[in-house]
């Protein structure tokens, strides 16, 4: 099972919006709405930010939003803040009854 | 408060074995799907294995045949038996619990496994 493809890095200025893509196949992202996104600071455990493509868990800022089109899911961060600087990973269930993470994206706030 | 606490990570030689544990508190352990996820130094997250509440199990190809996931609902504990360890198994191993469908809502702090001679 190959990792889902994400850009290695994305950057933006405070207040701007950025979008991170996550490209899979018809065997994972394209076939299931079980796509989730995680934020990870260095040396810390990941934190769930989005589940089932578009849903935010309680306590996650509404500046984070998710979407999906075909085999590609996306995470958008609006009103970028310094605290958003972290690594982000997408994740999907697969047709082989396994799970797969994305390659990860480092977000830099300029 | 939901807590997952991993233990058992240590330095082991290639070809060796190790058993990781994950003790869970704060929710009804037996009703939850639990995963193992690992992260090699400087690398991304890699899904390792999952056990459902009904005991159904799945593994990543990279560990199939070498790793065994199990759970003891009476002890609220998840295990990962790792055999025939390779240097590429070196990573921080996290246990994580599904809350929402398809998601890993709750995570432990991780335990370090180092495979080296």
């Amino acid at each position: 099972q190959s990792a889902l493809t994400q850009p290695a890095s994305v950057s933006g200025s405070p207040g701007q919006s950025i979008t991170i893509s996550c490209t899979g196949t018809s065997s994972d992202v394209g076939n299931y709405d079980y796509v989730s996104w995680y934020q990870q600071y260095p040396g810390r455990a990941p934190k769930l930010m989005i589940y089932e493509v578009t849903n935010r868990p309680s306590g996650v800022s509404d500046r984070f939003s998710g979407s999906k089109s075909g085999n590609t899911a996306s995470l958008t961060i609006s009103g970028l803040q310094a605290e958003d600087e972290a690594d982000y990973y997408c994740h999907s269930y697969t047709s082989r009854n396994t799970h797969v993470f994305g390659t990860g994206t480092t977000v830099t706030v300029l | 408060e939901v807590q997952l606490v991993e233990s058992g990570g240590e330095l082991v030689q290639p070809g060796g074995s190790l058993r990781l544990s994950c003790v869970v508190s704060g929710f009804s352990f037996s009703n939850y799907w639990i995963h193992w996820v690992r992260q090699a130094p400087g690398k991304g997250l890699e899904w390792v294995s999952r056990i459902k509440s009904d005991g159904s199990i799945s593994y990543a190809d990279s560990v199939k045949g070498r790793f065994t996931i199990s759970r003891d609902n009476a002890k609220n504990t998840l295990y990962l038996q790792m055999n025939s360890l390779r240097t590429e198994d070196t990573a921080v191993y996290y246990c994580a619990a599904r809350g929402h469908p398809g998601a890993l809502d709750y995570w432990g702090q991780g335990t370090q496994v180092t495979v080296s001679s």
Side-chain angles (χ1 to χ4, degrees):
Chain A
Q1 178 73 52
S2 297
L4 307 174
T5 300
Q6 299 179 231
S9 62
V10 173
S11 62
S13 299
Q16 286 187 331
S17 292
I18 62 170
T19 296
I20 302 168
S21 61
C22 169
T23 301
T25 70
S26 58
S27 295
D28 38 65
V29 174
N31 200 35
Y32 301 97
D33 284 339
Y34 296 134
V35 175
S36 51
W37 289 89
Y38 301 83
Q39 176 191 63
Q40 187 182 34
Y41 294 113
R44 302 290 298 274
K47 174 187 176 183
L48 177 65
M49 304 301 285
I50 296 287
Y51 67 94
E52 289 183 285
V53 179
T54 62
N55 298 311
R56 278 187 310 277
S58 175
V60 171
S61 171
D62 60 5
R63 297 185 298 105
F64 291 84
S65 62
S67 63
K68 190 182 84 166
S69 177
N71 295 338
T72 299
S74 298
L75 175 72
T76 297
I77 309 175
S78 305
L80 198 62
Q81 298 180 2
E83 67 199 50
D84 300 330
E85 192 162 285
D87 293 327
Y88 292 84
Y89 296 90
C90 60
H91 164 266
S92 176
Y93 178 71
T94 85
S95 60
R96 296 177 62 206
N97 192 29
T98 61
H99 298 250
V100 62
F101 281 95
T103 50
T105 298
T106 298
V107 168
T108 301
V109 181
L110 302 172
Chain B
E1 180 191 5
V2 173
Q3 275 198 316
L4 295 87
V5 180
E6 304 94 336
S7 62
E10 62 181 57
L11 173 64
V12 62
Q13 292 190 338
S17 298
L18 206 56
R19 188 176 84 157
L20 306 183
S21 299
C22 170
V23 177
V24 174
S25 60
F27 63 84
S28 180
F29 176 76
S30 61
N31 293 334
Y32 279 72
W33 298 16
I34 313 289
H35 301 251
W36 286 102
V37 176
R38 68 184 181 183
Q39 187 168 34
K43 303 297 184 181
L45 301 174
E46 180 187 11
W47 179 81
V48 173
S49 183
R50 179 215 65 221
I51 184 166
K52 295 184 180 181
S53 52
D54 65 1
S56 172
I57 287 169
S58 184
Y59 296 100
D61 289 343
S62 58
V63 306
K64 195 176 297 183
R66 299 188 300 122
F67 290 12
T68 302
I69 190 173
S70 62
R71 65 193 300 163
D72 185 334
N73 290 336
K75 295 183 177 180
N76 284 1
T77 302
L78 174 77
Y79 301 101
L80 186 68
Q81 177 66 44
M82 304 187 295
N83 298 330
S84 301
L85 283 162
R86 306 166 180 168
T87 55
E88 56 263 36
D89 295 319
T90 294
V92 173
Y93 283 73
Y94 297 100
C95 60
R98 166 196 154 172
H100 297 96
L104 283 69
D105 295 60
Y106 311 109
W107 293 71
Q109 84 290 347
T111 187
Q112 176 70 51
V113 172
T114 303
V115 184
S116 174
S117 55

